[in-house]
């Protein structure tokens, strides 16, 4: 009996991490596209039939990509150069593809030698997929035909700057999959259907128990349960490591930054009608920890990396006092000079009396005495702009309650982080700290009663009065379940990246004094 096999390799959430280094200190790290490249080339030499797919969030996330967009955008996109070199068959649009504006993603698509897929990202008023055909058909020897359908998390309008997604409409991924998988089966008659979805699992893949609020951000479990005809589902967005089977659908999710690659091997046999039948599937995750970086990819991107490193090491200012971070949990429990500094810069540039910001992750180190661009981009890791919203006192109190949910009492009556903020994906960036008001968070009190001593300019914050508040663009559209901010009146927008705003502040003031006014407190 005639047999054949096909290997599917899936990358996801690379976030511009080409080089296997930490940009904070340039130390070697067990991840990166260059390491993935070595494995990809090895498999391509071993397997006769192979499909290589990127599952989204590839062109944003590192200082290299920030520097490229702001300083080298006349050149080809370095991630796309690497993808073209590796012979990707397709890529899926992720939510972070839009962070630098649609011109950047449109140019990336135009530079690609492969198609970009997203069946549920439509051109508004036309109802057709914005990025062209929503699927591809790959044909191999002996007539083997594989369909690859792309989907994107539909939750993008809840995070992205509206100007970056003008003329786009994001529809329900499950409905889009039902439509297009049915269409593909009827009109293409593929031997297997692969769905590459930049989104993750809203339920535990093994038990089906909910793991997060059912918002529509992640619908991979529902795709496996409801959409008939899917053989393989490549997932991402959550930065998890997943491999297995859900309702007969083979699934993988390969983490982030190129730490792993997802692999699915399909085995076919010819039946009595001389047609290929899928007989067996095998999923696996491969770590890049012991894989050497590919020299050709490093060489292709070297001009970008060299320029980025020089830019990162440029001194731009000094700190008097101590603005370093040794314990991120303590920074979130009591005001830290670094947080106060970011908030006061936001207030100054936006001319707003109130501000909020976050400590985005647990890797931020704050500022030492000499500040470089490297320090700024490794502490402020997102390409956010600033928005000033008009909020009522009730809105502010509701937002503080949302932030208070970041904490919970521990068994020893200590303050710990609510697991919802780190499982299944770290979301430390969804806890805000405010400047311009005074408040106390009492973690052990019931929901709705955790905020007390809420004052503005020495007086109790009035619930029906309105206040200008500056925040980053992600939060201003309600990102992080801050629904009280969604659709509020916009008083002002500052269309400059926050990293550039911080750099400009240092270039103007040169020396910044570390200080803290302790305007808020978290207690048990």
């Amino acid at each position: 009996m005639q047999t054949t096999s096909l290997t599917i390799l899936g990358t996801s959430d690379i976030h511009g991490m080409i080089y296997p280094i930490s940009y904070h200190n340039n130390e070697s790290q067990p991840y990166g596209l260059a390491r993935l490249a070595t494995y990809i080339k090895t498999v391509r030499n071993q397997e006769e039939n192979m499909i290589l797919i990127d599952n989204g969030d590839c062109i944003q996330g590192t200082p290299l990509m920030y520097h490229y967009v702001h300083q080298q955008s006349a050149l080809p996109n370095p991630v796309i150069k690497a993808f073209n070199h590796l012979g990707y068959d397709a890529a899926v649009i992720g939510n972070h593809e839009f962070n630098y504006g649609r011109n950047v993603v449109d140019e990336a698509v135009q530079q690609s030698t492969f198609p970009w897929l997203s069946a549920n990202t439509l051109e508004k008023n036309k109802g057709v997929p914005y990025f062209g055909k929503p699927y591809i058909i790959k044909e191999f020897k002996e007539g083997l035909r594989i369909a690859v359908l792309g989907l994107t998390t539909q939750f993008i309008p809840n995070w992205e700057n509206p100007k970056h997604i003008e003329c786009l409409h994001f529809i329900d991924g499950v409905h889009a999959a039902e439509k297009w998988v049915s269409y593909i089966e009827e009109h293409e008659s593929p031997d297997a259907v692969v769905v590459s979805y930049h989104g993750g699992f809203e339920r535990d893949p093994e038990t089906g128990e909910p793991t997060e609020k059912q918002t529509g951000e992640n619908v991979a479990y529902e795709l496996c349960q409801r959409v008939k005809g899917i053989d393989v589902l490549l997932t991402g967005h959550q930065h998890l490591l997943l491999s297995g089977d859900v309702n007969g659908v083979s699934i993988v999710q390969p983490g982030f930054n190129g730490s792993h690659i997802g692999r699915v091997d399909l085995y076919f046999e010819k039946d009595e009608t001389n047609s290929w039948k899928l007989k067996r599937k095998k999923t696996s995750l491969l770590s890049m920890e012991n894989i050497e970086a590919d020299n050709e990819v490093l060489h292709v991107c070297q001009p970008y990396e060299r320029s980025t490193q020089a830019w990162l090491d440029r001194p731009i200012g000094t700190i008097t006092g101590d603005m370093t971070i040794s314990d991120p949990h303590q920074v979130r429990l009591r005001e830290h000079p670094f947080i106060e500094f970011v908030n006061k810069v936001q207030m100054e540039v936006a001319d707003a009396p109130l501000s909020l910001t976050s400590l985005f992750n647990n890797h931020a180190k704050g500022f030492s005495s000499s500040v470089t661009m490297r320090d700024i981009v490794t502490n402020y890791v997102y390409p956010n702009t600033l928005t000033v919203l008009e909020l009522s006192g009730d809105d502010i109190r509701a937002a503080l309650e949302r932030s208070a949910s970041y904490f919970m009492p521990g068994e020893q009556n200590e303050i710990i982080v609510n697991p919802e903020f780190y499982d299944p994906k770290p979301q430390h960036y969804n806890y805000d700290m405010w400047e311009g008001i005074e408040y106390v968070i009492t973690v052990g009190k019931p929901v709705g009663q955790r905020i007390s001593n809420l004052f503005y300019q020495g007086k109790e914050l009035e619930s029906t009065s309105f206040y200008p508040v500056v925040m980053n663009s992600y939060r201003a559209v309600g990102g992080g379940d801050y629904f009280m901010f969604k659709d509020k009146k916009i008083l002002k927008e500052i269309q400059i990246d926050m990293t550039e705003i911080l750099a400009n502040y240092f270039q103007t003031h040169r020396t910044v004094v570390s200080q803290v006014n302790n305007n808020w407190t978290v207690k048990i």
Side-chain angles (χ1 to χ4, degrees):
M1 181 175 292
Q2 189 176 359
T3 63
T4 192
S5 64
L6 168 75
T7 298
I8 302 165
L9 296 182
T11 59
S12 191
D13 298 271
I14 291 174
H15 287 288
M17 189 63 70
I18 299 172
Y19 281 72
I21 60 171
S22 167
Y23 280 96
H24 174 68
N25 53 21
N26 280 341
E27 290 183 359
S28 177
Q29 298 294 330
Y31 49 60
L33 181 57
R35 290 184 187 262
L36 291 170
T38 298
Y39 182 80
I40 289 167
K41 290 181 177 181
T42 299
V43 174
R44 195 182 295 280
N45 289 332
Q46 294 172 342
E47 304 295 338
E48 186 175 16
N49 300 326
M50 190 184 99
I51 295 178
L52 176 60
I53 303 167
D54 184 75
N55 194 51
D57 279 6
C58 64
I59 62 171
Q60 175 277 334
T62 56
L64 185 147
M65 290 308 301
Y66 178 91
H67 179 260
Y68 162 72
V69 169
H70 290 87
Q71 305 288 334
Q72 296 179 300
S73 59
L75 300 175
N77 188 303
V79 170
I80 303 306
K81 286 191 72 172
F83 278 12
N84 288 344
H85 171 77
L86 292 170
Y88 271 76
D89 293 294
V92 174
I93 293 293
N95 52 294
H96 283 288
E97 258 65 78
F98 296 101
N99 286 174
Y100 291 124
R102 215 166 72 239
N103 285 343
V104 173
V105 66
D106 286 348
E107 288 176 5
V109 170
Q110 291 167 10
Q111 293 168 15
S112 301
T113 57
F114 51 86
W116 288 70
L117 312 175
S118 184
N120 63 322
T121 302
L122 308 183
E123 191 170 354
K124 196 176 289 186
N125 300 325
K126 293 187 178 180
V128 297
Y130 177 79
F131 293 97
K133 199 171 185 179
Y135 69 90
I136 59 170
I137 300 292
K138 290 291 295 182
E139 296 193 20
F140 300 91
K141 291 181 178 179
E142 289 89 31
L144 183 68
R145 289 167 53 83
I146 308 296
V148 179
L149 174 71
L151 297 172
T152 301
T153 176
Q154 69 199 52
F155 218 58
I156 289 175
N158 292 279
W159 307 309
E160 191 53 70
N161 184 330
K163 288 183 171 59
H164 293 173
I165 53 175
E166 283 180 333
C167 303
L168 298 182
H169 179 49
F170 300 89
I171 64 171
D172 181 83
V174 176
H175 292 161
E178 287 176 326
K179 169 187 172 180
W180 284 107
V181 170
S182 176
Y183 178 92
I184 288 168
E185 289 186 328
E186 180 180 352
H187 293 86
E188 303 286 3
S189 300
D191 299 304
V193 174
V194 178
V195 174
S196 187
Y197 166 53
H198 187 79
F201 282 86
E202 72 281 27
R203 296 176 179 271
D204 185 294
E206 294 184 1
T207 67
E209 290 297 314
T211 54
E212 62 184 35
K213 295 177 182 178
Q214 307 300 290
T215 62
E217 175 182 352
N218 298 299
V219 295
Y221 192 86
E222 188 177 1
L223 284 168
C224 293
Q225 298 294 329
R226 278 185 47 185
V227 184
K228 305 302 181 184
I230 300 176
D231 297 298
V232 177
L233 180 63
L234 310 179
T235 65
H237 183 58
Q238 293 170 310
H239 297 185
L240 299 178
L241 295 174
L242 300 174
S243 173
D245 182 280
V246 177
N247 194 33
V249 179
S250 295
I251 64 103
V252 289
Q253 186 173 146
F256 67 105
N257 281 357
S259 67
H260 293 71
I261 195 166
R263 176 169 177 164
V264 184
D265 290 289
L266 306 181
Y267 301 91
F268 299 85
E269 291 181 359
K270 279 281 182 75
D271 64 11
E272 61 278 0
T273 66
N274 204 36
S275 299
W276 289 112
K277 295 299 179 183
L278 180 57
K279 292 296 184 179
R280 187 164 63 92
K281 301 181 289 183
K282 177 185 176 183
T283 65
S284 52
L285 289 171
L286 292 310
S287 171
M288 297 297 107
E289 185 171 5
N290 296 316
I291 303 293
E292 292 294 324
D294 177 72
N295 285 328
E296 290 183 324
V297 166
L298 295 178
H299 177 73
V300 164
C301 300
Q302 183 57 41
Y304 303 89
E305 178 70 6
R306 189 185 305 114
S307 181
T308 299
Q309 290 290 347
W311 171 73
L312 286 172
D313 287 331
R314 179 163 53 91
I316 58 173
T318 59
I319 301 292
T320 298
D322 186 7
M323 208 178 281
T324 58
I325 294 172
S326 58
D327 186 340
H329 186 59
Q330 292 302 315
V331 171
R332 299 182 180 104
L333 287 175
R334 56 184 60 86
E335 192 174 26
H336 187 276
F338 175 78
I339 297 299
E340 179 161 317
F341 168 69
V342 174
N343 267 323
K344 287 191 172 179
V345 170
Q346 291 184 170
M347 293 163 74
E348 180 175 309
V349 74
D351 191 24
L354 278 68
S355 174
L356 59 92
T357 192
S358 305
L359 186 65
F360 294 131
N361 55 47
N362 287 342
H363 306 296
K365 300 300 181 183
F367 295 144
S368 59
S369 57
S370 177
V371 181
T372 65
M373 280 303 303
R374 190 183 302 277
D375 296 318
I376 289 178
V377 299
T378 54
N379 280 282
Y380 204 103
V381 295
Y382 297 113
N384 294 323
T385 57
L386 295 178
T387 302
V388 180
L389 296 183
E390 184 179 71
L391 301 179
S392 70
D394 283 342
D395 294 329
I396 293 171
R397 184 177 290 275
L400 290 169
E401 276 284 346
R402 165 61 181 157
S403 285
S405 67
Y406 177 81
F407 299 113
M408 61 186 296
E411 293 182 357
Q412 305 300 320
N413 205 37
E414 77 279 26
I415 301 174
I416 63 174
V417 178
N418 184 337
E420 291 184 4
F421 285 81
Y422 59 79
D423 185 20
K425 174 183 176 180
Q427 298 180 46
H428 302 294
Y429 50 81
N430 283 332
Y431 167 70
D432 291 330
M433 293 159 278
W434 290 62
E435 191 64 41
I437 55 174
E438 298 174 24
Y439 61 94
V440 175
I441 295 176
T442 306
V443 175
K445 284 191 175 181
V447 175
Q449 300 177 31
R450 292 173 293 194
I451 308 304
S452 61
N453 299 341
L454 181 53
F455 295 98
Y456 171 65
Q457 295 183 347
K459 298 180 181 179
E460 188 169 346
L461 196 76
E462 297 181 6
S463 61
T464 57
S465 295
F466 289 90
Y467 307 85
V469 183
V470 60
M471 64 193 73
N472 68 56
S473 50
Y474 169 80
R475 189 69 81 236
V477 295
D481 293 343
Y482 284 81
F483 302 117
M484 69 292 300
F485 294 161
K486 192 172 178 62
D487 298 324
K488 286 301 189 296
K489 183 179 180 180
I490 297 174
L491 301 178
K492 187 184 299 182
E493 292 178 293
I494 293 89
Q495 293 298 327
I496 304 173
D497 281 3
M498 189 59 189
T499 46
E500 188 174 346
I501 289 173
L502 290 170
N504 290 342
Y505 187 91
F506 275 107
Q507 289 169 353
T508 300
H509 297 274
R510 293 301 178 184
T511 298
V512 172
V513 177
S514 175
Q515 55 188 357
V516 61
N517 60 13
N518 296 307
N519 61 294
W520 55 268
T521 304
V522 180
K523 63 181 184 178
I524 193 70

